[in-house]
């Protein structure tokens, strides 16, 4: 039986699922998120590695060292190029960061905070949420 939350890449080759309701949901304006997503910010959330199940596809992992100096693996669908999740996060062991847009039904999941607001571009209005200049500590 499928888990509570299901997600997939743009072409549907890579599919994964998890049960736990996302708690740490962040809009991140950092430079890495800008570069990796191609947008002004990225919205993602943490899922416990134990709860994260890949059900189809073979995501391609690119190892990357973030501005923080910590390593991570960015996982893309090799078929459509969609960025789906980030794993092996040196800064957050035991967590997989899932890109919000990969969810089949993202409507019920809203950000809880904004981070790296010092990198937010002037045309973006802050959300009515806790604001962190850098990484929340
Ligand atoms: Zn795909
Ligand atoms: Zn970021």
């Amino acid at each position: 039986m499928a888990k509570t939350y299901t997600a997939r890449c743009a072409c549907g080759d890579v599919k994964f699922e998890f049960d736990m309701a996302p708690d740490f949901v962040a809009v991140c304006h950092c430079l890495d998120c800008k570069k990796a997503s191609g947008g002004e910010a990225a919205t993602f959330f943490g899922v416990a590695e134990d709860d994260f199940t890949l059900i189809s596809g073979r995501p391609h992992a690119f190892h990357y060292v973030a501005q923080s100096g910590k390593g991570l693996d960015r996982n893309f669908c090799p078929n459509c190029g969609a960025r789906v999740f980030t794993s092996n996060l040196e800064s957050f062991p035991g967590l997989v960061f899932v890109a919000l847009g990969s969810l089949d039904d993202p409507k019920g999941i809203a950000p809880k905070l904004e981070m790296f607001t010092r990198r937010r571009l002037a045309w973006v209005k802050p959300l009515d949420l806790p604001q962190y200049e850098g990484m929340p500590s």
Side-chain angles (χ1 to χ4, degrees), residues 64-78:
Y64 179 74
V65 177
Q67 303 247 313
S68 60
K70 306 284 187 173
L72 48 84
D73 285 346
R74 289 210 175 105
N75 292 266
F76 287 80
C77 170

Side-chain angles (χ1 to χ4, degrees), residues 11-78:
C11 76
D13 221 38
V14 172
K15 289 193 184 114
F16 56 94
E17 56 185 24
F18 55 93
D19 276 325
M20 193 188 69
D23 177 34
F24 181 85
V25 189
V27 174
C28 183
H29 298 272
C30 84
L31 214 54
D32 284 324
C33 283
K34 286 190 193 344
K35 291 293 183 197
S37 70
E40 200 280 332
T43 307
F44 57 82
F45 53 84
V47 170
E49 238 166 42
D50 303 351
D51 186 21
F52 182 94
T53 312
L54 183 70
I55 44 181
S56 81
R58 287 170 177 271
H60 191 92
F62 291 94
H63 187 72
Y64 179 74
V65 177
Q67 303 247 313
S68 60
K70 306 284 187 173
L72 48 84
D73 285 346
R74 289 210 175 105
N75 292 266
F76 287 80
C77 170

Side-chain angles (χ1 to χ4, degrees), residues 71-88:
L72 48 84
D73 285 346
R74 289 210 175 105
N75 292 266
F76 287 80
C77 170
N79 210 29
C80 69
R83 175 186 171 198
V84 278
F85 60 88
T86 303
S87 56
N88 293 319

